[in-house]
Amino acid sequence: MIGSDWTRRWKRFDVGEWRTDPTFAMCRALADGAALSSFAGGPFDVRAAVSGIQAETKDGFLLEQVPWEHFPQGNRVREAVYLLHSGGSPAGTGTGVVSGMCADDMRAAAVLAVPFLIRIAADTRHPHRADALAEASAPARARYFGVASRDELLLHRGDTQYDDLYDDYGVEVTFYPAGWSVAAARAAITADTALLQPLLDDPDPTIRIYAAYALATATDPDCAVRAAFRTRLAAEPDPIVRAALILATAEATRTHSHPPTTTWMREQWENRTQEPEARLAAAIGWLCLTDEPAPDDLRTAVDNLATDERAHAMDDLPWMACAGGSGETGLRCCIRKMLHPEQPDPADCDDPWCPHH
């Protein structure tokens, strides 16, 4: 089973390049049945690599002190961070490399970029700070494209032990343990919440949205991040950003259960004085936080509020942009999956060039 999966994945990867990668031996051994725990904490454990990056290395962008070469295509990520930090023209900044690698199911090296992307985003003078922030949390989420069901949307799997990693996350295309990458990315974001939280008050609404999106992945058992979302919500005038803060609150609550927040989420979608975008986000968040059947008043509210125009506007939210299919907006996909699971996928859902309906 593992051997056949290894062969299938190699067909999607540049084998020649991968054979020269230092992590090849570890991943080959894992494919042959070696215990993952035997490699924990070693030079190819990205969790250990991230935790070992010193504060002065992050703040000074001392990229040569980071073990990029230990992970697949690490030098490519290092170059992208260097180019993005240099702030050159958009065509030559390395923008999109981290998110692109994550989309290709290769997160390990991308994780090492997270602390640097956060610092670029926090620099109010940097011309590409929004691009950096949009990429910062990509390695912290696994298997989230096209996910829109109550069972899986906003889901953060708990801390995984060695024997559980394959069950919970599986492996990346290189056969690197995906759970290690995700855990390392979330740890990196958690370590830099002090840099990210002020961005919730940034003048740029795009920055505020992506700050909430990144902070929602933090490991936050004391609920400080969730409290920051609620504080910002009280002052936030932009309806799409308000929706982002509500979805971020729901995502953080799904990680660390908090029944009062689930009750609050219901109050938000029931509140007719709230903006429609915020009510829709709260309805989706509440559905993800509870197993209760969707009440009739929620269904009515969603049907009345989810206009085509609003569905397209809410695709500015990264949660919705990722949830949607190629022929369907994220909001429409969530509504269909959560409230009408008996309905089939749109006939053109596999067409990558199909416009959203």
Side-chain angles (χ1 to χ4, degrees), residues 146 148-150 332-341 345:
S149 68
R150 291 180 72 171
R332 291 288 184 209
C333 190
C334 287
I335 293 171
R336 179 172 57 81
K337 294 282 190 181
M338 295 182 184
L339 299 180
H340 308 285
D345 291 340

Side-chain angles (χ1 to χ4, degrees), residues 26 30 33-42 45 47 160-166 177 180:
M26 183 189 86
L30 292 174
L36 186 60
S37 58
S38 65
F39 295 98
D45 183 343
R47 299 169 303 175
T160 54
Q161 299 302 313
Y162 306 134
D163 293 338
D164 299 325
L165 284 167
Y166 286 96
W180 282 10

Side-chain angles (χ1 to χ4, degrees), residues 324-329 336 344-357:
S326 55
E328 189 176 36
T329 62
R336 179 172 57 81
D345 291 340
D348 53 8
C349 66
D350 291 328
D351 180 0
W353 307 112
C354 181
H356 286 174
H357 299 316

Side-chain angles (χ1 to χ4, degrees), residues 8-348:
R8 177 179 58 81
R9 287 171 178 272
W10 265 31
K11 291 179 180 177
R12 297 168 50 199
F13 195 73
D14 185 340
V15 177
E17 180 181 357
W18 181 217
R19 282 188 181 279
T20 64
D21 193 284
T23 48
F24 173 83
M26 183 189 86
C27 294
R28 177 74 259 187
L30 292 174
D32 289 339
L36 186 60
S37 58
S38 65
F39 295 98
F44 306 121
D45 183 343
V46 73
R47 299 169 303 175
V50 167
S51 66
I53 302 175
Q54 301 297 312
E56 55 269 25
T57 298
K58 301 175 189 178
D59 295 339
F61 281 80
L62 305 178
L63 303 182
E64 68 280 1
Q65 297 183 11
V66 177
W68 309 95
E69 68 280 1
H70 286 189
F71 303 96
Q73 298 201 13
N75 288 330
R76 180 185 175 208
V77 179
R78 179 190 184 280
E79 179 68 11
V81 172
Y82 171 80
L83 291 172
L84 189 58
H85 181 232
S86 70
S89 65
T93 59
T95 299
V97 169
V98 168
S99 57
M101 287 181 63
C102 293
D104 288 340
D105 199 19
M106 293 176 58
R107 294 176 184 81
V111 172
L112 298 175
V114 171
F116 303 104
L117 294 173
I118 290 172
R119 281 158 178 75
I120 292 170
D123 181 356
T124 58
R125 299 166 298 179
H126 199 284
H128 306 301
R129 58 195 299 256
D131 294 325
L133 186 56
E135 295 199 33
S137 64
R141 292 177 170 90
R143 296 202 303 266
Y144 61 100
F145 282 104
V147 171
S149 68
R150 291 180 72 171
D151 291 340
E152 295 183 297
L153 186 71
L154 310 181
L155 178 64
H156 282 193
R157 294 162 179 83
D159 291 338
T160 54
Q161 299 302 313
Y162 306 134
D163 293 338
D164 299 325
L165 284 167
Y166 286 96
D167 292 338
D168 286 346
Y169 288 101
V171 292
E172 298 178 3
V173 69
T174 60
F175 225 86
Y176 191 85
W180 282 10
S181 297
V182 173
R186 290 179 182 162
I189 288 169
T190 302
D192 281 330
T193 54
L195 289 175
L196 287 166
Q197 284 190 22
L199 301 184
L200 294 173
D201 299 318
D202 196 89
D204 185 345
T206 300
I207 294 288
R208 300 199 297 275
I209 288 170
Y210 276 101
Y213 191 58
L215 283 164
T217 67
T219 303
D220 183 37
D222 297 328
C223 305
V225 167
R226 184 167 58 213
F229 295 150
R230 294 279 294 274
T231 298
R232 178 61 209 177
L233 186 65
E236 180 56 58
D238 188 299
I240 297 294
V241 181
R242 289 179 64 82
L245 291 164
I246 289 172
L247 285 173
T249 301
E251 186 172 358
T253 304
R254 189 151 199 185
T255 305
H256 304 287
S257 179
H258 188 243
T261 298
T262 303
T263 300
W264 174 85
M265 197 70 61
R266 178 164 187 157
E267 293 169 353
Q268 301 309 299
W269 65 255
E270 290 179 328
N271 185 354
R272 294 174 180 269
T273 67
Q274 280 271 28
E275 297 89 342
E277 295 83 357
R279 292 184 68 192
L280 287 165
I284 290 170
W286 183 83
L287 287 168
C288 291
L289 293 176
T290 179
D291 293 329
E292 294 181 33
D296 290 342
D297 52 347
L298 181 146
R299 293 176 180 273
T300 299
V302 169
D303 286 343
N304 291 337
L305 297 174
T307 64
D308 287 342
E309 181 180 3
R310 195 161 288 132
H312 283 282
M314 289 184 70
D315 263 354
D316 286 344
L317 300 170
W319 296 270
M320 295 295 98
C322 293
S326 55
E328 189 176 36
T329 62
L331 179 63
R332 291 288 184 209
C333 190
C334 287
I335 293 171
R336 179 172 57 81
K337 294 282 190 181
M338 295 182 184
L339 299 180
H340 308 285
E342 74 285 354
Q343 293 182 2
D345 291 340
D348 53 8

